[in-house]
Amino acid sequence: MEKKVDFLVVGSGIAGLTYALKVADHGKVYIITKADEDESNTKYAQGGIAAVMHSPDSYEKHVQDTLICGDGLCNEEVVRMVVYESTDRIKELIEWGTNFDKSSSGEYDLGREGGHSENRILHHKDITGKEIERALLAKIHSHPNIEIANHHFAIDIITQHHLGRPVTHETKDITCYGVYALNIKTGDIDTIVAKTTLMATGGTGNVYSATTNPVIATGDGVAMVYRAKGAITNMEFIQFHPTALYAPHLKPAFLISEAVRGAGAVLKTMDGKEFMQKYDKRGSLAPRDIVARAVDNEMKMRGEEYVHLDCSPIDRHRLLEHFPNIYSKCLSEGIDCLKEPIPVVPAAHYMCGGIKVDMQGRSSLLNLYAVGECSCTGLHGANRLASNSLLEASVYAHRAAMNSIELAKKTALPESIPAWNDEGLEYPEEMVLITQSLKEVQGIMSSYVGIVRSELRLQRAKERLDILYEETKDLYDKTIISVKLCELRNLITVAYLIIKMSMARKESRGLHYMVDSKGKRK
């Protein structure tokens, strides 16, 4: 099937839905999402969204907190733009029906997380992302110009390559004409042609064994853009959240929000000793890269599988009111966090690098935008400040939408796009080839390219991954398309980019920590 639209959106989190709502009055919008429409990284965001609402906070304080956390690699112009536009975007989310918690005085109840100098986190209990997703989807369904196609997996970006023209990384005018997408329920591969396309595919947490990301987070957007010869940057900066619930059977790992530490919870060793002051004067509220390395170090030095998060400093009423989902989940795992500490471990959480974009969300490919976790704007630098990601997605979705509306007015729909060709391909003989390769990729990345890295570990990871790449390429070239095969292909591509960019950065910086660093940054 061929479908022609004005605006194509790949992904249904805060970035994709916000963008869709803003362009919908100007043309036909088609959203494709690989699972149910509400299944996105946004849905799993617990803590909240950072924004300056009133004094004693200020835009300048938020700017400085972001720059400090980014360890010298933030684009300050981008940081200032995002922070100064934050209030308008928050007001918009509220107007669209998002309910943020308020205190008894009627003002918004602002939380605080690691790296923030003031309370500035708007939240809805401990399920903020889910509440934002609910409000946005309600608006989406009420707009006649927006169509959502659930269970459609984007395979590849359509460019001049598919029209028979050679395309390399040196080609200056690579143009996105849409995507080929697998209809998961029918097995058909659709040709979706669009004047403008937005990548809003989220993160890549499943390149690691333990992640807080949903199972759909397999780096699809980054991998597609890289294969289309688009620019990717800063992939060495993978953020590990320091406090995921220690429960190895849970997939994804259950996040214990940083807001819990912001409310007073303290990290301790299994024998009850605080340890964060040894690593940073901010203690348990230091930025995530510092806390994750500290937790990792304590576990390795002591030979223990987890550390404890002691919630006893938090008032009982406040804990139950603000963190009902966390309390309930812990209780279901046999842990009453009102009476005993929560066992926690670091888990892959957020990708600070991604598809390189400008301040309008434009990628290096013509007519292709990228917003949200799959993009790299320059806001996060070497380490993301807690709760800046939902804000970044809101601001950039707005900017990309405004630019897309103008672009669509002067862009014609391309003609004669060829259909997907799968002649001569076979069904896979054994799915175990795919599932085992996935486990191997995750094992390699977790063992060699995790919180702490070395040149030897990275080289070993590259050698192991090269073998998996060749095996998977051979399988892909002769096998009928499936979601699992495409996800494996994408994860191997993303793993390669993380390793390649980690090897290129010899210094330790932010989330990229090398034990044999050359010119380690103090």
Side-chain angles (χ1 to χ4, degrees), residues 216-282:
I216 59 169
T218 51
D220 305 324
V222 171
M224 281 189 282
V225 170
Y226 182 73
R227 285 195 295 271
K229 307 299 186 286
I232 309 294
T233 190
N234 282 14
M235 290 296 289
E236 67 269 38
F237 300 119
I238 301 293
Q239 187 174 81
F240 287 77
H241 200 289
T243 55
L245 176 65
Y246 176 73
H249 62 280
L250 291 180
K251 299 287 182 182
F254 184 78
L255 180 67
I256 306 298
S257 170
E258 195 157 325
V260 177
R261 280 177 282 136
V266 177
L267 286 163
K268 296 181 177 181
T269 56
M270 288 177 67
D271 56 1
K273 296 177 181 177
E274 293 187 34
F275 60 85
M276 274 309 304
Q277 291 296 342
K278 294 190 298 182
Y279 299 92
D280 193 280
K281 63 182 180 181
R282 290 164 288 188

Side-chain angles (χ1 to χ4, degrees), residues 72 131 136 178 261 362 374 419 452 509:
E131 167 61 14
L136 292 176
R261 280 177 282 136
R362 293 176 295 201
C374 71
V452 176
R509 179 81 71 128

Side-chain angles (χ1 to χ4, degrees), residues 11 20 220 243 249 330 360 375 398 451:
D220 305 324
T243 55
H249 62 280
C330 287
Q360 311 306 321
S375 72
H398 172 78
I451 295 171

Side-chain angles (χ1 to χ4, degrees), residues 129 134 192 251 292 294 350 360 365 381 404 516:
R134 178 205 61 76
I192 307 171
K251 299 287 182 182
Y350 192 87
Q360 311 306 321
L365 305 182
S404 295
D516 45 7

Side-chain angles (χ1 to χ4, degrees), residues 21-33:
L21 285 170
K22 288 175 176 288
V23 299
D25 288 341
H26 302 272
K28 188 175 180 181
V29 183
Y30 192 55
I31 303 172
I32 63 170
T33 182

